[in-house]
């Protein structure tokens, strides 16, 4: 694990409960294996830890099936629940995560994807520094010792990810700020609640920066290939990311000249990602 920041200034509190929040959109095939693997792992790692699995599902063609699966899992004794969000209530991954955090049962809150690229078996290791009071924020990182990829990631995706990570260096020292696998607490989240932008996909980066989380610990994970479902990343999301970074730099490091230079860099990144997408 890699720690970023000074951990001497914050009080430490050991937590005995964890809410695992999973935003879903037409992820029916992944619901049961995610649930079964998660609780099998948690039983082995720490059987005394109180854990809930909380799906926040945006309305899709798979919603009815997802609701039925979760209902059956509840009957089987799994501590799992779901909030089915209608289109009129809002859309998007980041707002779904924030909604889940707000409705979570426990103070320690963890976000992971539903497509099983984030291994349920890694949940405890990602959450542990927060649960033990040793970190305010943890990131499941592909880019620290022991982390990596369980498949050959397309070169254009690697380039885009590396560029996006580089440009975020000024607002967070995490080695993998693009990660959607992260853990924090409601208390930390409350510090930036009035500033957090729910637009876009990089909600972990948003929370980490806006809430001034310190220390941040990177925990190694293996990023796996998608089992079912489709990637939600689009060119529109790349644009949102550029806008998000500009806003974060103005909030965290409001220096006009630096912000201007970074803006030019972000535009270059956007053009590069567009070109790579066109030649894919």
């Amino acid at each position: 694990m890699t720690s970023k920041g000074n951990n001497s200034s914050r009080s430490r509190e050991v937590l005995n409960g964890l809410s695992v929040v999973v935003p879903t959109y037409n992820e029916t095939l992944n619901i049961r294996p995610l649930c079964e693997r998660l609780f099998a792992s948690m039983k082995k790692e720490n059987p005394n830890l109180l854990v809930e699995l909380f799906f926040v599902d945006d309305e899709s063609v798979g919603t009815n099936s997802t609701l039925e699966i979760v209902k059956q899992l509840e009957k089987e004794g799994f501590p799992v629940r779901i909030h089915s969000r209608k289109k009129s209530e809002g859309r998007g991954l980041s707002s779904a995560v924030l909604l889940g955090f707000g409705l979570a049962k426990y103070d320690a809150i963890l976000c992971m994807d539903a497509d099983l690229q984030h291994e349920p078996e890694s949940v405890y290791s990602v959450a542990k520094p927060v649960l033990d009071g040793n970190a305010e924020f943890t990131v499941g990182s592909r880019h620290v010792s022991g982390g990596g990829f369980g498949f050959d990631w397309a070169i254009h995706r690697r380039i885009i990810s590396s560029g996006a990570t580089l440009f975020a260096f000024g607002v967070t020292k995490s080695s993998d700020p693009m990660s959607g696998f992260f853990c924090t607490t409601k208390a930390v989240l409350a510090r930036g609640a009035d500033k957090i932008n729910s637009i876009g996909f990089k909600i972990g980066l948003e929370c980490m920066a806006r809430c001034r989380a310190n220390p941040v610990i990177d925990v190694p994970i293996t990023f796996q290939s998608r089992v079912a479902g489709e990637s939600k990343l689009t060119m529109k999301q790349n644009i949102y990311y550029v806008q998000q970074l500009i806003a974060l730099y103005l909030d965290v490091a409001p220096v006009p000249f630096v912000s201007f230079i970074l803006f030019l860099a972000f535009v270059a990144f956007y053009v590069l990602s567009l070109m790579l997408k066109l030649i894919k």
Side-chain angles (χ1 to χ4, degrees):
M1 292 186 295
T2 304
S3 178
K4 311 290 181 179
N6 183 354
N7 63 5
S8 62
S9 61
R10 309 287 190 188
S11 60
R12 297 295 172 233
E13 178 184 359
V14 176
L15 302 174
N16 64 354
L18 175 67
S19 291
V20 179
V21 175
V22 182
T24 61
Y25 180 78
N26 200 23
E27 302 277 4
T28 304
L29 296 177
N30 298 326
I31 301 301
R32 176 171 284 278
L34 191 158
C35 180
E36 292 177 341
R37 287 173 58 183
L38 172 66
F39 287 105
S41 172
M42 299 305 283
K43 184 177 180 180
K44 180 191 305 182
E45 297 285 358
N46 187 346
N48 296 319
L49 182 66
L50 301 173
V51 181
E52 71 159 343
L53 176 57
F54 185 21
F55 293 104
V56 181
D57 183 69
D58 275 353
E59 188 177 18
S60 71
V61 295
T63 290
N64 289 337
S65 295
T66 298
L67 289 169
E68 291 176 6
I69 293 169
V70 172
K71 185 176 180 179
Q72 181 59 39
L73 288 168
E74 285 183 284
K75 289 180 179 179
E76 294 172 19
F78 289 102
V80 57
R81 59 193 177 104
I82 186 169
H83 177 84
S84 181
R85 191 166 66 156
K86 303 297 183 183
K87 290 182 180 179
S88 59
E89 297 180 78
R91 310 293 286 172
L93 183 144
S94 292
S95 61
V97 171
L98 293 174
L99 175 62
F101 284 170
L103 297 175
K105 182 177 181 180
Y106 300 113
D107 289 334
I109 44 182
L110 179 143
C111 174
M112 65 182 298
D113 290 347
D115 57 15
L116 299 178
Q117 289 192 288
H118 297 152
E119 295 178 303
E121 293 78 12
S122 295
V123 165
Y124 185 66
S125 62
V126 172
K128 193 175 187 302
V130 172
L131 293 170
D132 290 347
N134 294 320
E136 287 197 339
F137 204 102
T138 54
V139 177
S141 175
R142 302 162 290 185
H143 305 313
V144 292
S145 178
F149 296 84
F151 64 104
D152 290 328
W153 209 24
I155 185 63
H156 76 281
R157 295 294 297 270
R158 287 180 181 267
I159 293 173
I160 292 174
S161 179
S162 296
T165 297
L166 176 64
F167 292 141
F169 181 78
V171 294
T172 176
K173 299 302 185 292
S174 172
S175 64
D176 200 354
M178 310 298 287
S179 177
F181 198 176
F182 62 92
C183 184
T184 187
T185 67
K186 288 188 176 184
V188 172
L189 199 66
R191 291 207 296 258
D194 60 337
K195 293 183 177 181
I196 295 174
N197 183 358
S198 63
I199 302 298
F201 267 56
K202 304 309 171 188
I203 188 61
L205 171 62
E206 184 77 15
C207 293
M208 203 183 332
R210 298 286 193 189
C211 301
R212 307 296 197 267
N214 178 38
V216 174
I217 291 181
D218 287 339
V219 180
I221 63 166
T222 300
F223 191 66
Q224 298 291 354
S225 59
R226 183 175 289 104
V227 174
E230 299 179 355
S231 173
K232 312 299 188 300
L233 183 63
T234 64
M235 185 53 60
K236 185 177 182 180
Q237 295 303 325
N238 288 337
I239 296 173
Y240 282 149
Y241 180 65
V242 171
Q243 295 172 340
Q244 178 185 20
L245 276 180
I246 293 172
L248 289 177
Y249 270 102
L250 290 173
D251 180 38
V252 176
V255 181
F257 177 75
V258 173
S259 298
F260 176 71
I261 295 301
L262 287 169
F263 174 75
L264 295 180
F266 298 150
V267 171
F269 164 69
Y270 167 70
V271 172
L272 176 61
S273 64
L274 178 61
M275 291 174 61
L276 289 170
K277 192 174 184 67
L278 290 175
I279 65 176
K280 179 182 175 183

